Amino acid sequence: MNNKMYNQKKSLYLLLFAIIILSVTIIISISSAYSYVNIKNHLITDIKNNSDNMVLELKNNIKNLVAAYSINEYEKVLFNEMESNEILFAIVLKDYNMGKLLGKEYESSGKIRDENWNVVDFNDDIHQNLLSEVYYEKAFDITNQESNKIASIHIYISNKILNKELDKIIFNNIIEALIISFVLIFSLFLTIRYFILKPLSNMIKIINDTDKDGIPNQNFSLHGSKEIFLLSNTMNNMIKTIKSSRKTLKDNESRLKSLLQMSPIAVRIATNDGEKIVFANNSYLKLIDIQERELLNKNPKTYYIHESIYKDILDSLERNERIENKLISLNVNDTEVWVIASYMNIIYDEEEAVIGWFYDVTDKIKIQKQIEEQKNEFETIFNYAIDGLAIIDLNSNFLEFNGSYIKMTGFSREELLKTSCIELTAPEDVERTKIAFKTITEKGFITDFEKTCIVKDNRSVTVNMSMVLLPDKKRILISVKDITQHKLMESQSKLASMGEMIGNIAHQWRQPLSLISTIASGIKVKMEFKQFDEKELIPDMENIIKQTNYLSNTIDDFRNFIQNSNDKGEILVSNIIKKTLSILNPSIVNHNITIVLDADDDIKIDGYENQLIQALINILNNSKDALKENIKGSEDKFIFIETKAINDGLILRIRDNAGGIPEGIINKIFEPYFTTKHKSIGTGIGLSMAYQIITKHHDANIFVSNDTYEYNHKAYTGACFTIIFKHLVNAQS
């Protein structure tokens, strides 16, 4: 309650008391004035009537005395009349008969009152001026029988007695008015107090006795007048409605707070012009990383990296502007947090407040930045990559490409935009390329696809391509590597291997052919000496057939290897090892090398069979050459081949006992053209090609190290090549 305003207000009792007094006073005053005027008029009328009667009586009494010239007698009559009527001020008789005797118009005589209101003789010279100040004057003539005027009587009435009577009446009226006023005021005050003020006072007490929400704790009494009953009943209904509304409002507020509290979006409410936090839900506490007790009553601006931003927000809200989806950076424990924020003015707990919603987009901003960085990185990689990169549509038309691709093809940018990837493909590879594009649309990608391209000036370029369908499903990204030189290296390596294999074939065929020749020679000799027995012919023929089958199988193994198939498919690692050893076996045996094979563990992989055979041949030839060079005489020469299954693949180890690779060059042996052999017997492309085939074409890993191990209770040291293949399912994923 505002005490200053309360003290300035007047009491209802005082106001009603003043109003009653004023009203009664006005009413009594009007009544008294009205009564005074009526009484005054009544008195004046009585005086006039009495004076008329008095005149008639005097006229009758004096008429004869005047006619008889009895001055003393009619003066006595006048005196008696004055004494009997206190209201009379003067009676003057003008005697015309006596005047004629005295030679005048008339003789004046009469009675008048002095200052003490005593009756004295009238003296025309002394008292004439007093007669002009009288209140009322009445004159009449006295005539004789002949109707001649013999005298005239003048009666003068003063207002002294009238005023005295009026003063007495006024006094009585005032006393009467005061008594009536007091009784009336007291009665009205008691009546108003009991029937109006007391119920109102009780109502005021009930209204002042309220709960924390300002709602009266008690209902109003229904006792009293009809009007008080109606007022009290109306107030009770209002209280009931207000309590019901307040309960509904509280319930809704509670539900709203619960909803805000459970909202995944951070919500904060601040009062005091938006500078005092009074509510924050769990999401906001989590966003700001603070406990509620530490946050309440704080100024929200402390959490803005730029406090001026929050000031601008409050200025906008003051202009009743809504702020929606504004990107703002907050400072949370010295860490920048990005949010999408919305603000508006509300009433909270009967106070003006500012509510804010905050949606944490920090991760999205980071992702956007990462995407932007990745985009920039991609553009940098795309533009400056050594490999040729190009983007084509589903019809293989060029859309974009980098400088390396332009350099590789020799065409200008304008020329490439007018052609397609299919049009640059050599005729013999067109169908395979179309099938590859169809595979991309179905599978989404294809890797290690080799083809020949016809580029500028009809130059042929052999390329290895990896292609992936972009997320929009409308474009394809291709990565192109020029492997023309690599293919030349492969051819050189293969020619070298084929030269050695021809020697192996010759060596491998020598014994079977010798055996067949011996059997044929024996049969011929026996026939010449007539010692031929047909029963002995059958075993000899079976032996010849066995040897020819061996020769045929040997031819098949070499032919399959030489065919250079580019078909990729499911293959067993154990089959690769067996076919490799079948090809190299004559050379291995010829150099007195013992193969120790432990290949019980096996898996399927997705790969090119001939390429892997070529890689293993190159590794085994490297071990064979090292053994031939470093192990002299009759010392044991071993090559150990073992497989070991692991969780997601298979480990293939190839070890020898040639003493190992010098530490200074062990990290270079997979580099192209690196060799420790004389240039007449080494090209330096064998291990490099094996590395490329295993890592690039089969997504496997190969490592080399020097290993010391024990076999048959004897220690050996040599190079160890470790190849790790992925299981078919893992490789495809």
Side-chain angles (χ1 to χ4, degrees), residues 213-273:
D213 295 321
I215 301 173
N217 293 314
Q218 305 178 48
N219 285 334
F220 293 95
S221 173
L222 299 178
H223 297 295
S225 64
K226 183 177 181 179
E227 290 75 13
I228 294 296
F229 171 82
L230 290 174
L231 179 60
S232 299
N233 190 52
T234 302
M235 295 292 285
N236 288 338
N237 290 334
M238 288 177 61
I239 291 172
K240 184 178 179 181
T241 303
I242 292 171
K243 285 183 176 179
S244 176
S245 300
R246 173 60 69 177
K247 184 177 183 302
T248 302
L249 186 61
K250 288 285 187 182
D251 292 342
N252 291 338
E253 188 176 291
S254 178
R255 281 193 289 268
L256 178 60
K257 285 184 178 180
S258 298
L259 289 173
L260 291 176
Q261 196 64 260
M262 293 185 294
S263 173
I265 297 176
V267 180
R268 178 258 292 153
I269 299 175
T271 58
N272 194 25
D273 295 328

Side-chain angles (χ1 to χ4, degrees), residues 516-533 536-537 540-541 544:
I516 292 171
S517 178
T518 300
I519 293 172
S521 298
I523 293 173
K524 181 180 179 183
V525 170
K526 287 180 180 181
M527 290 180 70
E528 289 177 350
F529 288 97
K530 307 297 183 178
Q531 295 179 358
F532 179 72
D533 186 357
E536 295 179 354
L537 182 62
D540 289 337
M541 292 299 104
I544 289 173

Side-chain angles (χ1 to χ4, degrees), residues 665-714:
I665 64 171
I666 194 169
N667 293 326
K668 299 179 180 180
I669 63 171
F670 291 128
E671 295 178 4
Y673 303 106
F674 179 80
T675 180
T676 58
K677 303 173 186 177
H678 191 272
K679 64 180 180 179
S680 61
I681 59 172
T683 62
I685 61 175
L687 291 180
S688 173
M689 180 181 294
Y691 181 84
Q692 293 293 327
I693 290 171
I694 291 169
T695 59
K696 302 298 183 183
H697 296 187
H698 294 86
D699 195 24
N701 294 311
I702 181 170
F703 310 97
V704 64
S705 62
N706 291 322
D707 194 9
T708 299
Y709 54 92
E710 187 175 311
Y711 178 70
N712 290 335
H713 307 293
K714 186 175 180 181

Side-chain angles (χ1 to χ4, degrees), residues 573 601-605 643-652 723-728 730-731:
V573 174
D601 291 347
D602 197 8
I603 62 167
K604 281 184 179 181
I605 63 172
T643 59
K644 183 178 180 181
I646 57 176
N647 289 336
D648 57 349
L650 182 83
I651 296 176
L652 169 62
I723 303 171
I724 302 176
F725 292 104
K726 292 181 180 179
H727 195 277
L728 177 62
N730 294 327

